[in-house]
Amino acid sequence: MSFRTHSPVDYVEDVSPGSGALPPRARYASSDAASLSLNGSWRFRLSATADAEDDAFAEPGYDAGDWAEVSVPGHWVLQGHGSPIYTNHLYPFPVDPPRVPTENPTGDHLRVFDLPSDWPSDSGAVLRFDGVESCARVWLNGTDIGEFKGSRLPHEFAVGHLLKPAGNVLAVRVHQWSAGSYLEDQDQWWLPGIFRDVTLLHRPAGGVLDFFVHASYDHTTGEGTLKVDSDVDGRVTVPALDIDVATGESVTVPVEPWTAETPTLYDGVLATEGERVPLRIGFRTVVLEDGLIKVNGRPVLFKGVNRHEWHPEKGRALDLETMREDVLLMKRHNINAVRTSHYPPHPAFLDLCDEYGLWVVDECDLETHGFVEQAWRDNPVDDDRWTPALLDRAARMVERDKNHPSVVIWSLGNEAGTGRGLTAMAEWIHGRDSSRLVHYEGDINCRDTDVYSRMYAGHAEVEQIGRRLDGGTHKRRELPFILCEYGHAMGNGPGGIADYQRLFESYDRLQGGFIWEWIDHGIKHPELGYAYGGDFGEELHDGNFVCDGLLFPDREPSPGLVEYKKVIEPVRIEGDGDGGSVRIRNAHDFADLSALAFEWSFQVDGETVESGSLSVPVLAAGESAEVKLPEPPEVRRGETHWTVRAVLASDTAWGAKGHQVAWGQFPVTGRVPVPAAAGTAPVLADGRITLGPGTFDARTGALTAVGGVDVTGLRLDVWRATTDNDDGAEWQTDLRYGFMWRKLGLHRMRHRLDAVELGDGALTVQTRVAPAAWEVGLATVYRWSSDGERLRLAVSVTPEGDWTVPLPRLGIRFGLSGAADPVTWFGGGPGEAYPDTRSASRLGRWESTVDALQTPYVRPQENGARADVRWAEIGGLRVEGDPEFFFTARRWTTEQLDAARHRTDLTPGDTVWVNLDHGQHGIGSQSCGPGPLPQYFLRAEPAEFSFLFSEVS
Ligand code: IPT
């Protein structure tokens, strides 16, 4: 006999999208119809299973006085009830679709509300949920009005007949796991709850239902054509364009087009008998033509990011200001496109994209990545029983977002394998909206899609694709290419993005890409700083793979974002080689240069000695000009540079006058050679050797002081606290050097002292630096000399044995005692830079503190190196490098940095550890993509480099 018959919670495991909801329709931000936000504090009760409690709580009069309270929108696991789980693609429950575990955290939410006194007395009303994870059942005043899945999609219910003026009881039961969870396996935290707005909307008789704004632009005539299809007839007015037409009728007038660079929106109104809805209309036409994505007749280059919704305390429950901050940060960092990975965002985000100007790839709430573990068996997207749910998701996205000019591409979802369900979605979308393109990366042959899209392809392959030598189906060969994900911004990195950008700008077919991803999903944590996977005791998790953004969790830009901003600048500023003029190229797709002002400055040894404004012709998009620079100032001695900057000429919606958009820097006269510093002989006395300002231990040859500055532990150093990109993802088939370095023991090098030799002009210390267990080593000679005032160290390194791996770093390290602040240097700055992340590093004089030199990656790792440093002063010591060096200083050792899991594991000691590196290995993107390109390898080869030490006077 079986006891599992019909249960009141059967809907949870039902593949259907739900029941009771109204058909999906266009979203509009406001109207003159009344509405009531039901956001705020709700009563809350958590149960361990879906059916632990009956539905008595939904009945009017139920006393929930002893329940907890949660904020809506919100996730209960971030409000003290249960905890979040992070997995990349593994389902955190047994895979047996559509069944889910008996342990199914279920949150009953209760809210009692009165209608405002001026709420209209006619009965039409709709209750709207903008996002609930993952499945909800809803009762109003004791009546069951339906249930739904599709976490990041809106659901509306007709409720007018159930409303009372006062004491309405809205009960919502939310289940963490449902059949829908199988469709929502995006790489992110699993966060149940009512995480977007809940709103009651008055629906007046004759009010607006669904409508579709068609606003196209003909670049050959400069005219826009507007037609608004509406389920309810009415009129459309656009005062600025003198438009007043009936719905369904089209009208063509001269307009300014909408582009991400010039986001012209026209305010209009859709008026039906019962309602007036404000419209924000952007005229633009998206087509596939000549194998390219063109908007308003021109190909576009996506300089994009993948954006998950994230707030370090509120999870995916974002407020408007946070969304605006995201958009402003993107605009200020030259980003022009967003892929809404991997679900439609809060609708207000798209309003902001329309307003400020960002191209949007709007992606459906769909990912079934976990099925990859079973060779995609039982994948819902290839099982007709699930197709209604997939079509429901496609429709809810397209219908909600179809009136946004910013949305230019619909994406079916992410990492869901292949199958008939995806084809059905693509067919439906193409049929419903022929004015946009369809994307899905998993459709490798572009059977259903209009764009060839890949993720994390290496540079060489991208170049092949750009050259159209990649083969593939006939259809695919005709299509443009985008990298929907590249440049994995986990920890330090991504490296190599400038090299991608060069490819994008060299081959028409390559229409750009989207960095993975916008922001680290760290959760603010009292002891750990920011928590990541595993910090909540999850039995399965993927660690800090969830912290892979260009922003830290608190939205501070990481060096990766600064680098990206430079790499994608919309104006290219290059020197002509002889210092007399500058070449300016307008790299926009649409905008001319009228919004920008140009400034020149002239630096001697990194200090600006003169500056002025530069008059640059108002170049159209794509045009270049050679612009003459003024006569350079007379300079007797020193290294000189021109710096030319493009800044906003006046305040814009997203940036203030003077905001720097682009810059270029080029040398005029080269570096003055570092003096030789020889002539003084080392003197041995009392167990010490002195050589000019240097004091050494006579037995070991170790430097102990430069003048009055104590120095400890100076020696060759090859180890860096491996970055996420050094470690690489475990599925990578390429060599993962982080792993190999550790295996070889580069983190535990032994230093054998072979000889301390006193000569006439030098103190020479011979050593061999090598790891236990292996034959490889680095014969290292430290040769000290002095002119009496300054102390010169020449290091020569000769690899011995069979080195099959590059070195993490190559240089020296030493400790300084006490506070070493301030730190000043002449070299690259202001931020960190590594061989393949150095585009944004600008030569100058910089001042900082040891603490401020650190880049606070959520999982601590190598960071903070300043590149191309000529000299640095720290803790009373001055160091000049020949050649230039990478400069790093911190209040903990590399070993401590390497061992730390969270920022809070790092506590400053008494010593400041300084690294002066002749080289660093590239960064790459191997935490998900390819490693560094060969030209950024730090190979184990013979090397010589020197430093000149002196006491700061
Ligand atoms: C790719 C996913 O699309 C994205 O959601 C994220 O997981 C990213 O990787 C890594 O952070 S999938 C990967 C297997 C290429």
Side-chain angles (χ1 to χ4, degrees):
M1 191 167 120
S2 162
F3 288 100
R4 193 175 182 278
T5 53
H6 284 298
S7 138
V9 292
D10 274 353
Y11 61 91
V12 171
E13 297 184 319
D14 190 324
V15 296
S16 89
S19 63
L22 292 164
R25 62 179 184 127
R27 167 68 175 224
Y28 43 94
S30 66
S31 97
D32 64 348
S35 72
L36 175 66
S37 168
L38 297 175
N39 293 348
S41 182
W42 290 48
R43 287 288 179 180
F44 177 76
R45 171 181 68 186
L46 183 62
S47 308
T49 65
D51 60 358
E53 299 283 352
D54 60 24
D55 52 14
F57 82 106
E59 294 298 328
Y62 181 89
D63 181 7
D66 60 348
W67 286 23
E69 289 185 33
V70 291
S71 294
V72 170
H75 307 276
W76 69 72
V77 291
L78 297 183
Q79 299 184 57
H81 307 274
S83 43
I85 300 170
Y86 166 57
T87 57
N88 167 11
H89 75 280
L90 296 178
Y91 289 103
F93 47 79
V95 179
D96 182 24
R99 303 293 311 277
V100 296
T102 300
E103 302 85 14
N104 187 358
T106 292
D108 289 333
H109 295 68
L110 202 58
R111 163 92 195 233
V112 179
F113 65 93
D114 299 338
L115 294 178
S117 53
D118 57 354
W119 192 264
S121 56
D122 59 2
S123 69
V126 155
L127 179 63
R128 182 175 67 204
F129 294 90
D130 281 315
V132 181
E133 181 169 329
S134 82
C135 170
R137 179 165 200 165
V138 188
W139 295 262
L140 183 61
N141 292 330
T143 301
D144 178 0
I145 60 173
E147 30 79 23
F148 62 93
K149 307 180 190 87
S151 298
R152 298 102 198 178
L153 293 162
H155 294 84
E156 288 184 327
F157 296 88
V159 294
H161 59 294
L162 299 173
L163 287 173
K164 331 185 266 194
N168 293 285
V169 177
L170 177 56
V172 185
R173 172 163 287 171
V174 182
H175 308 283
Q176 171 152 23
W177 309 121
S178 69
S181 304
Y182 284 98
L183 305 180
E184 296 173 6
D185 191 25
Q186 294 95 343
D187 170 13
Q188 59 176 345
W189 295 98
W190 297 88
L191 297 175
I194 305 174
F195 72 98
R196 286 187 190 156
D197 311 274
V198 182
T199 317
L200 183 70
L201 303 162
H202 175 238
R203 301 312 306 134
V208 166
L209 275 174
D210 188 26
F211 61 96
F212 199 158
V213 176
H214 304 279
S216 59
Y217 179 72
D218 182 342
H219 65 280
T220 62
T221 61
E223 288 174 327
T225 297
L226 177 68
K227 176 159 87 79
V228 179
D229 291 325
S230 173
D231 285 1
V232 175
D233 290 343
R235 288 202 79 75
V236 176
T237 49
V238 186
L241 296 174
D242 269 336
I243 289 177
D244 184 348
V245 288
T247 52
E249 245 173 55
S250 71
V251 50
T252 300
V253 292
V255 297
E256 290 298 322
W258 189 96
T259 74
E261 294 167 5
T262 55
T264 307
L265 290 176
Y266 291 95
D267 286 318
V269 173
L270 165 62
T272 60
E273 196 193 326
E275 190 174 14
R276 291 168 60 81
V277 172
L279 304 176
R280 306 209 74 192
I281 302 165
F283 292 87
R284 95 270 173 286
T285 292
V286 185
V287 293
L288 197 61
E289 194 182 86
D290 311 323
L292 298 174
I293 304 165
K294 292 188 183 175
V295 181
N296 305 336
R298 295 195 204 172
V300 292
L301 188 59
F302 295 116
K303 300 167 173 174
V305 286
N306 282 279
R307 174 182 180 269
H308 267 290
E309 297 184 307
W310 188 250
H311 185 281
E313 283 151 291
K314 297 183 193 135
R316 289 189 283 277
L318 261 59
D319 54 62
L320 184 63
E321 279 327 297
T322 304
M323 295 186 241
R324 190 187 305 276
E325 204 182 331
D326 278 349
V327 170
L328 292 176
L329 279 165
M330 288 178 194
K331 293 294 289 185
R332 290 174 188 158
H333 289 87
N334 295 332
I335 287 163
N336 72 3
V338 194
R339 173 176 178 232
T340 70
S341 54
H342 301 301
Y343 41 81
H346 188 290
F349 180 75
L350 297 179
D351 293 334
L352 296 167
C353 292
D354 293 345
E355 182 181 333
Y356 293 97
L358 287 167
W359 308 115
V360 176
V361 177
D362 195 358
E363 189 151 276
C364 197
D365 190 6
L366 174 64
E367 174 157 343
T368 64
H369 203 168
F371 286 89
V372 71
E373 294 295 326
Q374 51 195 59
W376 297 103
R377 252 185 331 281
D378 297 334
N379 185 1
V381 308
D382 202 21
D383 178 339
D384 293 339
R385 286 172 298 176
W386 291 83
T387 303
L390 303 181
L391 290 173
D392 180 74
R393 285 171 188 247
R396 285 186 190 281
M397 169 179 73
V398 171
E399 301 301 3
R400 190 194 77 165
D401 295 341
K402 60 185 179 280
N403 294 328
H404 288 282
S406 55
V407 176
V408 289
I409 296 179
W410 300 115
S411 177
L412 304 181
N414 184 58
E415 292 282 3
T418 54
R420 301 190 295 279
L422 290 163
T423 302
M425 289 171 83
E427 279 172 2
W428 184 87
I429 295 174
H430 276 128
R432 175 64 177 141
D433 179 15
S434 57
S435 72
R436 294 179 174 93
L437 308 180
V438 170
H439 166 271
Y440 174 61
E441 181 268 348
D443 183 8
I444 188 80
N445 292 325
C446 303
R447 196 192 121 104
D448 302 321
T449 53
D450 305 312
V451 188
Y452 178 29
S453 169
R454 292 278 303 282
M455 43 173 78
Y456 309 106
H459 298 81
E461 189 186 2
V462 170
E463 179 152 28
Q464 284 288 95
I465 297 169
R467 299 172 66 201
R468 301 178 184 277
L469 296 175
D470 57 311
T473 57
H474 179 73
K475 179 176 175 203
R476 192 178 88 184
R477 296 173 65 163
E478 303 288 297
L479 295 182
F481 177 80
I482 62 168
L483 273 172
C484 69
E485 294 178 24
Y486 80 112
H488 198 249
M490 186 179 181
N492 188 333
I497 58 177
D499 307 273
Y500 277 111
Q501 191 64 28
R502 267 193 290 279
L503 295 174
F504 298 158
E505 294 185 12
S506 306
Y507 299 99
D508 290 351
R509 189 188 186 193
L510 309 180
Q511 293 199 266
F514 298 77
I515 295 284
W516 186 269
E517 66 176 303
W518 177 236
I519 184 169
D520 289 341
H521 309 208
I523 295 179
K524 197 154 172 69
H525 189 285
E527 284 92 43
L528 303 175
Y530 290 105
Y532 50 77
D535 290 334
F536 298 97
E538 302 105 293
E539 63 176 13
L540 282 179
H541 68 83
D542 288 287
N544 65 314
F545 202 61
V546 78
C547 290
D548 52 2
L550 295 172
L551 296 179
F552 294 114
D554 60 1
R555 288 191 156 66
E556 265 305 304
S558 85
L561 182 57
V562 179
E563 169 83 1
Y564 195 39
K565 175 184 178 180
K566 173 70 180 136
V567 163
I568 57 178
E569 343 176 279
V571 183
R572 299 292 179 198
I573 301 170
E574 280 151 21
D576 68 343
D578 69 12
S581 64
V582 57
R583 189 167 187 76
I584 311 267
R585 181 164 68 85
N586 180 355
H588 286 99
D589 292 325
F590 299 93
D592 66 25
L593 292 187
S594 55
L596 300 177
F598 288 79
E599 295 168 358
W600 63 266
S601 57
F602 189 83
Q603 285 85 33
V604 180
D605 287 338
E607 274 186 315
T608 297
V609 293
E610 267 184 51
S611 60
S613 65
L614 189 71
S615 114
V616 173
V618 181
L619 302 171
E623 284 182 355
S624 321
E626 202 74 39
V627 178
K628 235 187 122 35
L629 287 163
E631 272 305 300
E634 266 305 301
V635 179
R636 282 224 204 92
R637 192 189 145 79
E639 184 180 356
T640 58
H641 288 91
W642 289 110
T643 303
V644 174
R645 311 191 313 132
V647 301
L648 289 179
S650 46
D651 291 352
T652 69
W654 52 265
K657 177 178 175 173
H659 164 85
Q660 180 170 298
V661 172
W663 59 275
Q665 194 175 49
F666 25 96
V668 186
T669 52
R671 196 172 163 207
V672 180
V674 180
T680 305
V683 179
L684 173 66
D686 305 330
R688 290 186 316 187
I689 298 167
T690 49
L691 175 60
T695 311
F696 300 82
D697 180 310
R699 197 177 52 80
T700 62
L703 178 72
T704 55
V706 176
V709 182
D710 290 341
V711 177
T712 54
L714 187 149
R715 63 187 204 187
L716 191 83
D717 196 4
V718 296
W719 182 245
R720 71 183 184 195
T722 54
T723 65
D724 294 314
N725 284 315
D726 290 337
D727 292 337
E730 58 198 23
W731 68 79
Q732 298 282 3
T733 48
D734 286 357
L735 297 178
R736 293 192 286 135
Y737 288 120
F739 171 78
M740 296 178 69
W741 290 337
R742 222 175 276 273
K743 187 168 169 222
L744 194 59
L746 298 190
H747 60 310
R748 49 176 173 77
M749 297 293 262
R750 309 280 175 88
H751 295 249
R752 188 182 75 203
L753 181 62
D754 290 338
V756 179
E757 295 162 0
L758 260 68
D760 270 359
L763 164 67
T764 306
V765 181
Q766 313 260 13
T767 68
R768 185 173 190 274
V769 182
W774 308 107
E775 63 156 7
V776 293
L778 301 167
T780 302
V781 180
Y782 307 83
R783 189 171 188 282
W784 298 93
S785 60
S786 175
D787 59 3
E789 258 171 61
R790 292 168 298 192
L791 183 66
R792 180 171 187 269
L793 166 64
V795 183
S796 99
V797 180
T798 312
E800 295 176 346
D802 185 14
W803 279 90
T804 53
V805 295
L807 298 170
R809 64 159 17 114
L810 181 67
I812 57 162
R813 78 163 197 208
F814 55 87
L816 296 174
S817 56
D821 294 334
V823 181
T824 53
W825 73 98
F826 168 33
E832 76 178 28
Y834 290 82
D836 54 348
T837 63
R838 70 194 310 162
S839 309
S841 175
R842 197 169 74 242
L843 280 185
R845 286 277 184 109
W846 307 103
E847 177 166 336
S848 187
T849 61
V850 174
D851 287 338
L853 287 176
Q854 314 308 308
T855 306
Y857 293 113
V858 172
R859 186 191 71 82
Q861 52 196 277
E862 166 64 27
N863 72 82
R866 270 48 179 189
D868 303 311
V869 175
R870 278 76 168 141
W871 58 256
E873 292 182 358
I874 178 167
L877 195 67
R878 180 181 168 91
V879 192
E880 280 174 78
D882 183 13
E884 299 82 47
F885 58 96
F886 290 92
F887 168 68
T888 310
R890 35 181 150 256
R891 289 184 199 286
W892 34 80
T893 62
T894 295
E895 291 69 23
Q896 288 164 328
L897 182 66
D898 201 17
R901 290 192 64 244
H902 293 92
R903 294 176 183 176
T904 47
D905 293 337
L906 292 168
T907 39
D910 298 334
T911 304
V912 170
W913 289 98
V914 179
N915 276 88
L916 311 177
D917 290 314
H918 180 56
Q920 280 265 1
H921 187 60
I923 295 294
S925 200
Q926 216 186 0
S927 55
C928 193
L933 287 167
Q935 61 266 38
Y936 304 116
F937 272 45
L938 177 61
R939 298 187 197 280
E941 285 166 353
E944 301 229 9
F945 46 94
S946 68
F947 304 102
L948 197 61
F949 296 96
S950 54
E951 225 178 327
V952 177
S953 41

